[in-house]
Amino acid sequence: MLKGKYLNRITEVNKIFIDKIVKDGDTVVDATMGNGYDTVYLAKIVGNNGKVYSFDVQEEAIKSTRKKIEKEELNDFVTLILDGHQNIDKYVKEEVSCILFNLGYLPRAKHQVITKPNTTLMAIEKSLELLKPNGIISIAMYTGHEGGMDERNYVCEYLNKLDQNYYNVLHMEFTNQINNPPELILVEKKG
Ligand SMILES: C[S@@+](CC[C@H](N)C(=O)[O-])C[C@H]1O[C@@H](n2cnc3c(N)ncnc32)[C@H](O)[C@@H]1O
């Protein structure tokens, strides 16, 4: 199958922006740790002068991510938190430059454990408070699973009304793909 260079997957598109915005020494959050790919990705950018807080509600996610960060020797500055991202303010007390959400379920695990509209929105509201000027919240959304479309609509309804004097909200989608392609929303706090 033919492949593009930058736009095959929403997570690749996301990295075009994150690579530019997140810097060595930054404090960042992975709000949906899963198998830890995003946590490792962020940790490699911020390096050991930075800090990564990573959240998930499943033990499996913690185990799988812990293995990866130990192998890559990133554990000194990565904190894995077994709790919902809606409680982000209990753990993160400083301003951050980036908060990543990759919504939905953990691939290859129980598909009943999915992110939910209410808690996702609560986490996004708290994330807006924690974000430093010119920082970014990135939200990858999937609509193919049960509840996914409701969550997407709930999140969009809220973000579409954010005051443009304070935030830029960009919504991206693959307009020529079939079968519920994922979507990406980026929120930048104005400086
Ligand atoms: C699509 S996966 C994330 C993939 C991950 N970013 C990676 O790199 O592998 C979504 C994750 O969100 C987690 N999740 C569900 N509800 C959550 C909540 N309230 N707070 C934090 N994580 C949650 C799920 O357990 C699942 O692991």
Side-chain angles (χ1 to χ4, degrees), residues 30-38 55-58 61 83-86 102-107 113-115 119:
D30 181 356
T32 49
M33 179 192 315
N35 285 315
Y37 293 105
D38 290 326
F55 291 83
D56 208 290
V57 289
Q58 299 194 70
D83 199 354
H85 41 220
Q86 61 276 20
N102 191 340
L103 302 179
Y105 54 82
L106 182 63
V113 185
I114 56 171
T115 53
T119 41

mmCIF file of all heavy atoms in Angstrom, residues 30-38 55-58 61 83-86 102-107 113-115 119, ligand 1:
data_model
loop_
_atom_site.group_PDB
_atom_site.id
_atom_site.type_symbol
_atom_site.label_atom_id
_atom_site.label_comp_id
_atom_site.label_asym_id
_atom_site.label_seq_id
_atom_site.Cartn_x
_atom_site.Cartn_y
_atom_site.Cartn_z
ATOM 1 N N ASP A 30 1.078 13.362 29.989
ATOM 2 C CA ASP A 30 0.383 12.413 29.122
ATOM 3 C C ASP A 30 -0.877 12.009 29.891
ATOM 4 O O ASP A 30 -0.804 11.267 30.871
ATOM 5 C CB ASP A 30 1.274 11.196 28.838
ATOM 6 C CG ASP A 30 0.590 10.200 27.914
ATOM 7 O OD1 ASP A 30 -0.585 10.417 27.556
ATOM 8 O OD2 ASP A 30 1.235 9.191 27.556
ATOM 9 N N ALA A 31 -2.026 12.502 29.464
ATOM 10 C CA ALA A 31 -3.271 12.296 30.222
ATOM 11 C C ALA A 31 -3.854 10.911 30.022
ATOM 12 O O ALA A 31 -4.741 10.497 30.784
ATOM 13 C CB ALA A 31 -4.291 13.362 29.817
ATOM 14 N N THR A 32 -3.373 10.190 29.023
ATOM 15 C CA THR A 32 -3.876 8.831 28.743
ATOM 16 C C THR A 32 -2.685 7.937 28.382
ATOM 17 O O THR A 32 -2.392 7.726 27.209
ATOM 18 C CB THR A 32 -4.883 8.859 27.562
ATOM 19 O OG1 THR A 32 -4.296 9.592 26.480
ATOM 20 C CG2 THR A 32 -6.205 9.488 27.942
ATOM 21 N N MET A 33 -2.043 7.410 29.396
ATOM 22 C CA MET A 33 -0.777 6.691 29.252
ATOM 23 C C MET A 33 -0.853 5.487 28.319
ATOM 24 O O MET A 33 0.032 5.275 27.500
ATOM 25 C CB MET A 33 -0.377 6.226 30.661
ATOM 26 C CG MET A 33 0.870 5.449 30.782
ATOM 27 S SD MET A 33 0.980 4.697 32.439
ATOM 28 C CE MET A 33 0.511 5.975 33.558
ATOM 29 N N GLY A 34 -1.866 4.650 28.474
ATOM 30 C CA GLY A 34 -1.994 3.444 27.646
ATOM 31 C C GLY A 34 -0.742 2.599 27.697
ATOM 32 O O GLY A 34 -0.189 2.323 28.763
ATOM 33 N N ASN A 35 -0.229 2.220 26.531
ATOM 34 C CA ASN A 35 0.982 1.398 26.493
ATOM 35 C C ASN A 35 2.264 2.211 26.568
ATOM 36 O O ASN A 35 3.357 1.675 26.385
ATOM 37 C CB ASN A 35 0.983 0.503 25.250
ATOM 38 C CG ASN A 35 0.015 -0.654 25.417
ATOM 39 O OD1 ASN A 35 -0.027 -1.307 26.465
ATOM 40 N ND2 ASN A 35 -0.806 -0.898 24.408
ATOM 41 N N GLY A 36 2.124 3.505 26.786
ATOM 42 C CA GLY A 36 3.296 4.321 27.088
ATOM 43 C C GLY A 36 4.047 4.900 25.901
ATOM 44 O O GLY A 36 5.085 5.528 26.085
ATOM 45 N N TYR A 37 3.525 4.714 24.716
ATOM 46 C CA TYR A 37 4.265 5.228 23.545
ATOM 47 C C TYR A 37 4.386 6.751 23.599
ATOM 48 O O TYR A 37 5.450 7.307 23.336
ATOM 49 C CB TYR A 37 3.590 4.788 22.234
ATOM 50 C CG TYR A 37 3.671 3.304 22.033
ATOM 51 C CD1 TYR A 37 2.563 2.486 22.231
ATOM 52 C CD2 TYR A 37 4.882 2.705 21.669
ATOM 53 C CE1 TYR A 37 2.647 1.114 22.071
ATOM 54 C CE2 TYR A 37 4.979 1.338 21.506
ATOM 55 C CZ TYR A 37 3.853 0.542 21.711
ATOM 56 O OH TYR A 37 3.953 -0.812 21.551
ATOM 57 N N ASP A 38 3.289 7.408 23.961
ATOM 58 C CA ASP A 38 3.326 8.881 24.020
ATOM 59 C C ASP A 38 4.172 9.360 25.200
ATOM 60 O O ASP A 38 4.848 10.382 25.109
ATOM 61 C CB ASP A 38 1.898 9.447 24.153
ATOM 62 C CG ASP A 38 1.100 9.248 22.879
ATOM 63 O OD1 ASP A 38 1.697 9.299 21.783
ATOM 64 O OD2 ASP A 38 -0.130 9.027 22.977
ATOM 65 N N PHE A 55 -0.849 9.628 33.256
ATOM 66 C CA PHE A 55 -2.023 9.104 33.970
ATOM 67 C C PHE A 55 -2.678 7.942 33.235
ATOM 68 O O PHE A 55 -2.824 7.962 32.018
ATOM 69 C CB PHE A 55 -3.096 10.202 34.089
ATOM 70 C CG PHE A 55 -2.728 11.317 35.003
ATOM 71 C CD1 PHE A 55 -1.937 12.368 34.556
ATOM 72 C CD2 PHE A 55 -3.167 11.322 36.318
ATOM 73 C CE1 PHE A 55 -1.589 13.417 35.413
ATOM 74 C CE2 PHE A 55 -2.825 12.366 37.176
ATOM 75 C CZ PHE A 55 -2.035 13.413 36.712
ATOM 76 N N ASP A 56 -3.130 6.958 34.025
ATOM 77 C CA ASP A 56 -4.060 5.957 33.489
ATOM 78 C C ASP A 56 -4.792 5.300 34.663
ATOM 79 O O ASP A 56 -4.288 5.292 35.784
ATOM 80 C CB ASP A 56 -3.352 4.884 32.658
ATOM 81 C CG ASP A 56 -4.264 4.289 31.579
ATOM 82 O OD1 ASP A 56 -5.223 3.562 31.941
ATOM 83 O OD2 ASP A 56 -4.053 4.561 30.387
ATOM 84 N N VAL A 57 -5.971 4.762 34.360
ATOM 85 C CA VAL A 57 -6.761 4.120 35.408
ATOM 86 C C VAL A 57 -6.526 2.611 35.443
ATOM 87 O O VAL A 57 -7.083 1.925 36.295
ATOM 88 C CB VAL A 57 -8.273 4.407 35.204
ATOM 89 C CG1 VAL A 57 -8.578 5.862 35.507
ATOM 90 C CG2 VAL A 57 -8.726 4.058 33.790
ATOM 91 N N GLN A 58 -5.702 2.083 34.536
ATOM 92 C CA GLN A 58 -5.487 0.632 34.483
ATOM 93 C C GLN A 58 -4.058 0.261 34.881
ATOM 94 O O GLN A 58 -3.097 0.843 34.358
ATOM 95 C CB GLN A 58 -5.724 0.117 33.057
ATOM 96 C CG GLN A 58 -7.125 0.344 32.538
ATOM 97 C CD GLN A 58 -7.385 -0.471 31.289
ATOM 98 O OE1 GLN A 58 -7.489 -1.703 31.360
ATOM 99 N NE2 GLN A 58 -7.500 0.186 30.151
ATOM 100 N N ALA A 61 -1.651 -0.576 32.061
ATOM 101 C CA ALA A 61 -1.012 0.563 31.393
ATOM 102 C C ALA A 61 0.257 0.938 32.156
ATOM 103 O O ALA A 61 1.317 1.164 31.560
ATOM 104 C CB ALA A 61 -1.972 1.739 31.343
ATOM 105 N N ASP A 83 -4.359 6.854 38.344
ATOM 106 C CA ASP A 83 -5.546 7.636 38.728
ATOM 107 C C ASP A 83 -6.099 8.280 37.458
ATOM 108 O O ASP A 83 -5.393 8.396 36.451
ATOM 109 C CB ASP A 83 -5.161 8.722 39.751
ATOM 110 C CG ASP A 83 -6.384 9.252 40.519
ATOM 111 O OD1 ASP A 83 -7.526 8.871 40.187
ATOM 112 O OD2 ASP A 83 -6.183 10.059 41.442
ATOM 113 N N GLY A 84 -7.354 8.705 37.534
ATOM 114 C CA GLY A 84 -7.983 9.335 36.380
ATOM 115 C C GLY A 84 -7.427 10.729 36.126
ATOM 116 O O GLY A 84 -7.105 11.458 37.077
ATOM 117 N N HIS A 85 -7.360 11.090 34.846
ATOM 118 C CA HIS A 85 -6.836 12.432 34.498
ATOM 119 C C HIS A 85 -7.728 13.557 35.037
ATOM 120 O O HIS A 85 -7.298 14.695 35.132
ATOM 121 C CB HIS A 85 -6.629 12.575 32.994
ATOM 122 C CG HIS A 85 -7.701 11.993 32.144
ATOM 123 N ND1 HIS A 85 -7.453 11.311 30.966
ATOM 124 C CD2 HIS A 85 -9.051 11.968 32.289
ATOM 125 C CE1 HIS A 85 -8.581 10.914 30.441
ATOM 126 N NE2 HIS A 85 -9.561 11.289 31.213
ATOM 127 N N GLN A 86 -8.960 13.231 35.400
ATOM 128 C CA GLN A 86 -9.845 14.249 35.989
ATOM 129 C C GLN A 86 -9.304 14.745 37.338
ATOM 130 O O GLN A 86 -9.720 15.780 37.832
ATOM 131 C CB GLN A 86 -11.287 13.721 36.142
ATOM 132 C CG GLN A 86 -11.478 12.525 37.038
ATOM 133 C CD GLN A 86 -11.223 11.179 36.328
ATOM 134 O OE1 GLN A 86 -10.570 11.119 35.296
ATOM 135 N NE2 GLN A 86 -11.740 10.097 36.898
ATOM 136 N N ASN A 102 -5.101 10.958 24.321
ATOM 137 C CA ASN A 102 -5.337 10.029 23.213
ATOM 138 C C ASN A 102 -6.527 9.195 23.696
ATOM 139 O O ASN A 102 -6.365 8.239 24.458
ATOM 140 C CB ASN A 102 -4.072 9.189 23.010
ATOM 141 C CG ASN A 102 -4.108 8.387 21.738
ATOM 142 O OD1 ASN A 102 -5.171 8.149 21.164
ATOM 143 N ND2 ASN A 102 -2.949 7.951 21.295
ATOM 144 N N LEU A 103 -7.722 9.627 23.325
ATOM 145 C CA LEU A 103 -8.939 9.099 23.946
ATOM 146 C C LEU A 103 -9.267 7.681 23.457
ATOM 147 O O LEU A 103 -8.661 7.176 22.523
ATOM 148 C CB LEU A 103 -10.115 10.048 23.644
ATOM 149 C CG LEU A 103 -9.928 11.496 24.119
ATOM 150 C CD1 LEU A 103 -11.145 12.342 23.749
ATOM 151 C CD2 LEU A 103 -9.669 11.558 25.626
ATOM 152 N N GLY A 104 -10.237 7.062 24.144
ATOM 153 C CA GLY A 104 -10.688 5.737 23.726
ATOM 154 C C GLY A 104 -10.213 4.652 24.660
ATOM 155 O O GLY A 104 -10.117 4.852 25.866
ATOM 156 N N TYR A 105 -9.883 3.486 24.097
ATOM 157 C CA TYR A 105 -9.504 2.333 24.921
ATOM 158 C C TYR A 105 -8.066 1.908 24.657
ATOM 159 O O TYR A 105 -7.475 2.264 23.629
ATOM 160 C CB TYR A 105 -10.462 1.163 24.676
ATOM 161 C CG TYR A 105 -10.584 0.773 23.224
ATOM 162 C CD1 TYR A 105 -9.641 -0.044 22.611
ATOM 163 C CD2 TYR A 105 -11.655 1.230 22.448
ATOM 164 C CE1 TYR A 105 -9.746 -0.396 21.286
ATOM 165 C CE2 TYR A 105 -11.767 0.884 21.112
ATOM 166 C CZ TYR A 105 -10.808 0.075 20.539
ATOM 167 O OH TYR A 105 -10.911 -0.252 19.215
ATOM 168 N N LEU A 106 -7.540 1.153 25.595
ATOM 169 C CA LEU A 106 -6.175 0.638 25.474
ATOM 170 C C LEU A 106 -6.173 -0.497 24.457
ATOM 171 O O LEU A 106 -6.840 -1.513 24.667
ATOM 172 C CB LEU A 106 -5.726 0.121 26.852
ATOM 173 C CG LEU A 106 -4.320 -0.419 27.020
ATOM 174 C CD1 LEU A 106 -3.280 0.645 26.761
ATOM 175 C CD2 LEU A 106 -4.151 -0.961 28.437
ATOM 176 N N PRO A 107 -5.426 -0.377 23.374
ATOM 177 C CA PRO A 107 -5.400 -1.456 22.384
ATOM 178 C C PRO A 107 -4.993 -2.786 23.034
ATOM 179 O O PRO A 107 -4.145 -2.803 23.914
ATOM 180 C CB PRO A 107 -4.338 -1.001 21.378
ATOM 181 C CG PRO A 107 -4.241 0.469 21.563
ATOM 182 C CD PRO A 107 -4.559 0.748 23.000
ATOM 183 N N VAL A 113 -12.996 -0.398 29.310
ATOM 184 C CA VAL A 113 -12.355 0.731 29.995
ATOM 185 C C VAL A 113 -12.002 1.789 28.948
ATOM 186 O O VAL A 113 -10.976 1.702 28.282
ATOM 187 C CB VAL A 113 -11.092 0.293 30.767
ATOM 188 C CG1 VAL A 113 -10.538 1.463 31.559
ATOM 189 C CG2 VAL A 113 -11.403 -0.867 31.684
ATOM 190 N N ILE A 114 -12.907 2.735 28.801
ATOM 191 C CA ILE A 114 -12.681 3.791 27.823
ATOM 192 C C ILE A 114 -12.753 5.142 28.522
ATOM 193 O O ILE A 114 -13.303 5.252 29.618
ATOM 194 C CB ILE A 114 -13.722 3.757 26.672
ATOM 195 C CG1 ILE A 114 -15.153 3.826 27.217
ATOM 196 C CG2 ILE A 114 -13.520 2.542 25.789
ATOM 197 C CD1 ILE A 114 -16.203 4.021 26.147
ATOM 198 N N THR A 115 -12.191 6.147 27.875
ATOM 199 C CA THR A 115 -12.343 7.502 28.408
ATOM 200 C C THR A 115 -13.811 7.894 28.245
ATOM 201 O O THR A 115 -14.486 7.442 27.323
ATOM 202 C CB THR A 115 -11.420 8.481 27.647
ATOM 203 O OG1 THR A 115 -11.668 8.354 26.249
ATOM 204 C CG2 THR A 115 -9.961 8.190 27.943
ATOM 205 N N THR A 119 -15.565 12.820 32.525
ATOM 206 C CA THR A 119 -14.224 12.883 33.128
ATOM 207 C C THR A 119 -13.220 13.502 32.145
ATOM 208 O O THR A 119 -12.306 14.219 32.555
ATOM 209 C CB THR A 119 -13.770 11.487 33.592
ATOM 210 O OG1 THR A 119 -14.158 10.534 32.612
ATOM 211 C CG2 THR A 119 -14.357 11.123 34.925
HETATM 212 C C1 LIG B 1 -6.066 5.139 23.369
HETATM 213 S S1 LIG B 1 -5.394 4.663 24.918
HETATM 214 C C2 LIG B 1 -3.956 5.660 25.067
HETATM 215 C C3 LIG B 1 -2.785 5.225 24.220
HETATM 216 C C4 LIG B 1 -1.459 5.760 24.720
HETATM 217 N N1 LIG B 1 -1.376 7.200 24.604
HETATM 218 C C5 LIG B 1 -0.241 5.084 24.147
HETATM 219 O O1 LIG B 1 0.724 5.769 23.764
HETATM 220 O O2 LIG B 1 -0.219 3.838 24.113
HETATM 221 C C6 LIG B 1 -6.491 5.409 26.082
HETATM 222 C C7 LIG B 1 -6.134 5.130 27.530
HETATM 223 O O3 LIG B 1 -6.921 5.983 28.374
HETATM 224 C C8 LIG B 1 -7.098 5.305 29.594
HETATM 225 N N2 LIG B 1 -8.157 5.951 30.389
HETATM 226 C C9 LIG B 1 -9.488 5.713 30.418
HETATM 227 N N3 LIG B 1 -10.107 6.527 31.311
HETATM 228 C C10 LIG B 1 -9.116 7.306 31.848
HETATM 229 C C11 LIG B 1 -9.097 8.345 32.835
HETATM 230 N N4 LIG B 1 -10.215 8.767 33.420
HETATM 231 N N5 LIG B 1 -7.917 8.898 33.163
HETATM 232 C C12 LIG B 1 -6.753 8.480 32.566
HETATM 233 N N6 LIG B 1 -6.701 7.511 31.628
HETATM 234 C C13 LIG B 1 -7.870 6.936 31.274
HETATM 235 C C14 LIG B 1 -7.406 3.889 29.172
HETATM 236 O O4 LIG B 1 -7.186 2.997 30.234
HETATM 237 C C15 LIG B 1 -6.416 3.711 28.005
HETATM 238 O O5 LIG B 1 -5.236 3.105 28.438
#
